[in-house]
Each structure stands twice: as C-alpha cells, then as structure tokens.
C-alpha cells in the first residue's frame, strides 16, 4: 500500500492506495483546524498511522500532492497563498521522520495528472495536458508520462496565463489571468456583482449555487455560465495552440457541472485553433473524480520509485 496525502487550501485528506489504483481507506480534516504546518504534519501522520493499523498493512512509501508552489526536489512547501505560515516547511522530511518511510511531493495539479495518465482519461497519451478547474486553475503537462518541469524544477503556472489584460487583479501579479476569470470563485463573484436589487445574490453564493440557479433559468446565472464557457474556451485554445497535445483532460470541482459549459468551451477553443490540429486533441472530463487527488499523491511516490529503479539499472 502507498500512503497518500492531499493538501489543499480547504481540506487535507490522507489515505491508502492499492498498487492497481484504488483508494482503500481515506480520512480528512479541515486545513483551518491546523494552521501550523508542524501540527498539521503530526495530525497527518496520526491519521495515516490509524489507516495502516485499521488495515493491518505496512506502508511502502508516501506520496504527497500539495497546492502549489512547492519544490518537488527538496520536498519543501513554498509561498502558497492558501497555506499561510507554511513557506519553507520541509514537509517531505517531516513525513519521513514521523512515519519512517520514504516520501515524495509534487504540486497537486501534477499529482492529479499522473493519476489520470495512469488510470484515467489520459491513458495512452504521450502529450498530455491536465487542467484542474476549481477554487483555482492548475495545469500540468506530461511528456511521455513524465512531468514537464521548468528551470530549477519549477511548475509552470499556465492557470495564470493572461486572458484579458484589462481584467481583475490576481494575487499572481497579473490582471485578467485565467484563474481570476474562469475559476469557480471567479464565476460566482461575477454573478454576485452583476445582479441587482430584484434578483440580488447573497455575497456567499458559491459557483455550485450559480450552476443550480442557471439550471432553473436565473438570467444572470445563465450569463455567468456563458462567460465561464467563453473564458474556459479561450484558455484551452491557448494551451492547445502552444503545446499541440494529443489529449487534454479537465478535472476539479467545477467540472462536476461541466455539462453546462464544456461543449461551448470546446466550440470557442476550436474556433481559435485554425493553425494547429485541433481535431487530433482528445478533450474530455477527468475520469477519476473525487479520488483523483489521493490517487495522484500515491502515483507521485510510485513514479519517484520507478525513476530511482530506472536510474539504478542504467548505472
Ligand atoms: Zn493569476
């Protein structure tokens, strides 16, 4: 069994994953319950230990998917907007110390991409793009199954590509980036700001609620969905134009409502990709659903082991 840890801004989940890609047991707690990384790491270790006792099984190793940016080489959490106080925390070292087995970490988008490539919608792809659309937008590129890394091992932030430079300001430093226009909170915020007295939406309205309202015919919610489809499509077109992938899979919380906007997003993308073989791109929804983050975390550790084994056999 592989121990799996998914660290998000809202929730931290841990579980055990079988070699064939099945989550066997899973436990979670709210990220806000343990704001200190040291306390969070201790609680993660306790939960994983409980999982391993309940199943009476040893752990081969531990994989971690963490909302980014993270340093996958040193296993350090960097300056993550959603994890204040974690900057510089050596999470991989801490987990290895607490649980006595080896650990590896990647950005959560890369982790989910590895799982989709192995067990989900990206199987058989050699030029694979995975896009997660939820609280934020993350993009991962796998070339022949291997994570593409930038200089110094950096994870490229294609979720923050500029779509409309006159758009709202984002914490990434850009204005009108993809995330600030097309993430779940961005869609909800636009709907709230564009309703008036008679049909005003409460400030805490979620993207899920906007989708429900759109289904019931709420005019502004329907416009918010149309806007989402447009911006999602523009971002997809940019990715396909830049990378010519053979497969592009979309996952994340907002994709649970994708029947409202994905077809239109693909139409928008297609209309903007006349110079590249758009028809050769398999575009679809992630197949692993809510299990993707833990399966991805487990795959992070498995891939690192496979890499070590390959390197040893070459030397
Ligand atoms: Zn941004």
């Amino acid at each position: 069994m592989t121990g799996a840890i998914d660290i998000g801004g809202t929730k931290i989940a841990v579980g055990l994953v079988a070699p064939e890609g099945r989550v066997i047991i899973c436990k979670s707690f709210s990220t806000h319950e343990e704001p200190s990384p040291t306390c969070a790491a201790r609680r993660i270790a306790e939960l994983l230990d409980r999982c391993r006792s309940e199943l009476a099984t040893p752990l081969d190793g531990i994989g971690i998917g963490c909302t980014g940016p993270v340093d996958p080489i040193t296993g350090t959490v960097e300056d993550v907007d959603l994890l204040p106080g974690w900057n510089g925390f050596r999470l991989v070292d801490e987990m290895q110390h607490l649980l006595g087995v080896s650990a590896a970490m990647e950005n959560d988008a890369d982790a989910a991409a590895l799982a989709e490539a192995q067990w989900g919608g990206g199987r058989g792809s050699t030029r694979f793009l995975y896009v997660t659309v939820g609280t934020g937008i993350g993009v991962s590129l796998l070339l022949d199954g291997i994570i593409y890394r930038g200089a110094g091992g950096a994870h490229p932030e294609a979720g923050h590509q500029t779509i409309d430079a006159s758009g709202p300001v984002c914490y990434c430093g850009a204005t009108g980036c993809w995330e600030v226009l097309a993430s779940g909170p961005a869609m909800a915020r636009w709907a709230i700001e564009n309703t008036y007295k008679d049909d005003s939406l409460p400030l805490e309205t979620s993207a899920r609620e906007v989708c429900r309202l759109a289904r019931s015919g709420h005019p502004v919610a329907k416009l918010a969905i149309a806007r989402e489809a447009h911006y999602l499509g523009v971002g997809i077109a940019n990715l396909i134009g830049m990378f010519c992938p053979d497969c592009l899979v979309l996952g994340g919380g907002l994709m649970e409502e994708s029947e409202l906007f994905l077809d239109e997003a693909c139409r928008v993308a297609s209309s903007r990709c006349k110079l590249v073989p758009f028809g050769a791109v398999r575009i679809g929804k992630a197949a692993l659903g809510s299990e993707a983050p833990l399966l991805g975390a487990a795959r992070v550790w498995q891939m690192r082991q496979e890499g070590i084994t390959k390197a040893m056999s070459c030397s």
Side-chain angles (χ1 to χ4, degrees), residues 159-161 170-174 177-180:
H160 291 269
Q161 55 171 298
C170 177
Y171 63 88
C172 72
C177 71
W178 203 15
E179 176 170 312
V180 86

Side-chain angles (χ1 to χ4, degrees), residues 35 43 75 109 111 166 186 250 274 307:
R43 183 139 170 212
S166 64
L250 297 115
K274 303 293 185 201

Side-chain angles (χ1 to χ4, degrees), residues 20 32-33 35 47 51 66 96 112-113 124 128 132 169 187 210-211 235 252 254 257 295 301 303:
E20 72 276 15
H32 307 295
E33 284 175 40
L47 290 180
C51 290
C66 181
Q96 290 181 156
F128 179 51
T132 176
V169 175
M187 183 175 79
V210 172
C211 291
L254 198 56
E257 305 283 354
L295 292 175
W301 184 79
M303 286 288 285

Side-chain angles (χ1 to χ4, degrees), residues 141-154:
L141 171 62
L142 303 187
L143 298 175
D144 294 318
I146 308 294
I147 297 169
Y148 170 82
R149 298 191 198 282

